Amino acid sequence: MDEQQPSRTAPAPDGGAGLPADPAVTAPTTLPPASDAGPPALVDPGAVDTSVRTPQQRFRTFTGILVNTALANVTTSYLWFALTFWVYLQTRNVIATGVVGGAYMLLIALSSISFGTFVDRYRKLSVMRFAAGFTLVVFALAGALFALTPAAWMTDLTQPWIWVFALVVLIGAVVENMRNIALSTTVTILIDPDRRANANGLVGMVQGLMFIVTSVLSGLSVGLLGMGWTIAVAVALTAVAFVHLLLLRMPEEVRAAATDASGGFDLRGSFAAVLAVSGLFALILFSTFNNFIGGVYMALMDPYGLEMFPVEIWGGVFALGATGFIAGGALIGKFGLGKNPLRTMLLAVVVMGVLGAVFTVREWAWLYVAGIWLYLVLVPFVEAAEQTVIQRVVPLERQGRVFGFAMAFESAAAPVTAFLIAPIAEIWIIPYARSAEGSAQLAPLLGQGTSRGIALVFLVAGLVMVAAALLAFLTPVYRRVSAEYARAAVQDAAAETNADKSTPTERGEPVPDRDGTRRLEDPAGAAAERQWTDRQRQTTAMQGPESGPRE
């Protein structure tokens, strides 16, 4: 078979936790260059059939996938938060938490290209099942390592065991992120274009629920149960999510779409897929602004909170602040992101920078919690805006690599700041702020308190974020990406108008019966009828105009 043509073999079965055989579908090996003629056309439009079920049925399937992903994310974050709390409480060293947080983001950056490649090459549910099964095995291995290692070795930073244990947990948590890339592509498959922003808002709500639950449970779990039982709970919940995922079905994805993705780390193809849409790389750069300050928060937010509250209380306090995720996602689910999601994203980044600069100007608990809440209200707007634009302007068979490339690029920003800021804060800024001279100099601006050094870092990072986002509004690429999204929206609206002119049977919608009632046309029967009609037309065309019945 010519490797430039899609495979004509039967699609791989949808069951099983592993990935099906790699289909020999490479389509064009090079992507078309970016142009102003609109987004590139689908290479394999027959891979997805949205007429199989109604939009309501597709949304129910999306809800099931979203709930399952929520359970998996809650479990992963529960163990991840617990690990961060536990490491700091054992060492009282912000360098340790900075290294753990930075290593997590660095692993995501290094692996996201591979994750996106596999999402493009295989069916989305199969990818999710593989990630769930792998995470289950790795978390179980982490539990065994913790149980067999002496406690004294686990708390000694000079010994390798605490780092090995953290690395094993991080690997399981990182692989689980493959599901999040696949989730973004299921929005494209299951949700109509004009409702994707709202669906992405629901994803933000799920992330908010994840933070709320894990913040409370992780703090309580570490404080009351210990790290051993925390790992046991994480393994059990991961197993539940894996079993539930095996029961889900998504018939709209007829087969893995023909794609130019190849191998297990298609960096060249990922970069080409991003460049194929004018201004898309700039959009990823815009989204990265949020991650620069995110690296600072990753390294220092938990130490700041743990200095202010006991670990059991801090988990609940952060959970209260994390309800902002729910509010932000609910606002998007209700009102969407407006006509220009990119503009909405940059405005949100500006406000986030202001909040990051002022929410620790005084060591007041209510100010810290209110700042966290408002900041997290805005996070779903930034993430949903990027996802909505990509889902509209990038063809499905390239979205995995584009989302993976974006995750890799954006995640790489946080480790840079985390690795730099944590040692600088621990060695220079915090001791200076706690000294008599430093405390006196910072008091007019940041007040008095034990964590004024961390507050100074937050202030500078927030101001840098505001300046970067405001400058982004002035760039030509901002206007180009906005125009590209508007053009794609017009094309989608025209396609929906043409679809409305088709027959109810072709759309899989209820049609009038002879007795006047309405029934849903059998999708299999309708498909068979269309295939029979196509064969009749092909036969007539092959016979020619003079091959009709003789008189």
Side-chain angles (χ1 to χ4, degrees), residues 336-403:
L337 293 168
K339 294 182 179 180
N340 187 349
L342 182 56
R343 179 176 181 271
T344 302
M345 181 183 74
L346 287 179
L347 290 174
V349 171
V350 170
V351 179
M352 290 168 72
V354 173
L355 291 171
V358 303
F359 79 139
T360 56
V361 292
R362 293 294 184 273
E363 198 167 292
W364 298 337
W366 69 266
L367 179 62
Y368 191 50
V369 175
I372 292 174
W373 190 87
L374 292 172
Y375 181 89
L376 294 181
V377 166
L378 297 172
V379 170
F381 283 86
V382 176
E383 296 179 350
E386 180 188 24
Q387 292 173 353
T388 301
V389 172
I390 292 175
Q391 288 159 355
R392 176 150 259 167
V393 303
V394 177
L396 174 63
E397 59 269 15
R398 298 170 189 162
Q399 284 184 14
R401 281 167 295 163
V402 171
F403 280 119

Side-chain angles (χ1 to χ4, degrees), residues 245-481:
L245 192 59
L246 295 177
L247 304 177
L248 295 176
R249 295 291 182 269
M250 192 169 69
E252 283 73 21
E253 189 179 23
V254 179
R255 62 177 182 276
T259 179
D260 57 337
S262 59
F265 189 84
D266 190 11
L267 176 60
R268 181 179 180 181
S270 300
F271 191 63
V274 172
L275 295 182
V277 179
S278 177
L280 188 57
F281 186 72
L283 170 64
I284 296 173
L285 286 177
F286 293 157
S287 300
T288 305
F289 291 157
N290 183 46
N291 288 58
F292 281 114
I293 196 170
V296 177
Y297 290 156
M298 178 188 306
L300 301 178
M301 181 174 285
D302 282 331
Y304 190 94
L306 290 170
E307 290 292 340
M308 188 178 293
F309 305 98
V311 62
E312 297 87 350
I313 302 300
W314 167 238
V317 168
F318 193 83
L320 177 62
T323 58
F325 255 126
I326 299 291
L331 289 173
I332 300 172
K334 178 66 175 179
F335 302 106
L337 293 168
K339 294 182 179 180
N340 187 349
L342 182 56
R343 179 176 181 271
T344 302
M345 181 183 74
L346 287 179
L347 290 174
V349 171
V350 170
V351 179
M352 290 168 72
V354 173
L355 291 171
V358 303
F359 79 139
T360 56
V361 292
R362 293 294 184 273
E363 198 167 292
W364 298 337
W366 69 266
L367 179 62
Y368 191 50
V369 175
I372 292 174
W373 190 87
L374 292 172
Y375 181 89
L376 294 181
V377 166
L378 297 172
V379 170
F381 283 86
V382 176
E383 296 179 350
E386 180 188 24
Q387 292 173 353
T388 301
V389 172
I390 292 175
Q391 288 159 355
R392 176 150 259 167
V393 303
V394 177
L396 174 63
E397 59 269 15
R398 298 170 189 162
Q399 284 184 14
R401 281 167 295 163
V402 171
F403 280 119
F405 182 87
M407 181 179 291
F409 196 86
E410 295 160 17
S411 299
V416 172
T417 50
F419 286 139
L420 288 177
I421 291 299
I424 292 174
E426 178 71 21
I427 297 173
W428 289 296
I429 299 178
I430 294 177
Y432 163 76
R434 290 179 177 176
S435 67
E437 179 184 1
S439 177
Q441 291 177 346
L442 293 178
L445 178 64
L446 298 174
Q448 300 288 338
T450 59
S451 302
R452 296 305 81 206
I454 298 178
L456 178 61
V457 175
F458 285 162
L459 174 64
V460 174
L463 295 178
V464 171
M465 172 71 81
V466 172
L470 291 176
L471 288 175
F473 274 112
L474 305 178
T475 60
V477 289
Y478 165 72
R479 294 187 291 272
R480 187 159 63 248
V481 174

Side-chain angles (χ1 to χ4, degrees), residues 52 90 107 155 166 231 262 340 408 452 458 471 520 530 540:
V52 174
Q90 295 298 320
L107 287 174
T155 59
I231 299 173
S262 59
N340 187 349
R452 296 305 81 206
F458 285 162
L471 288 175
L520 182 64
R530 288 195 299 270
T540 303

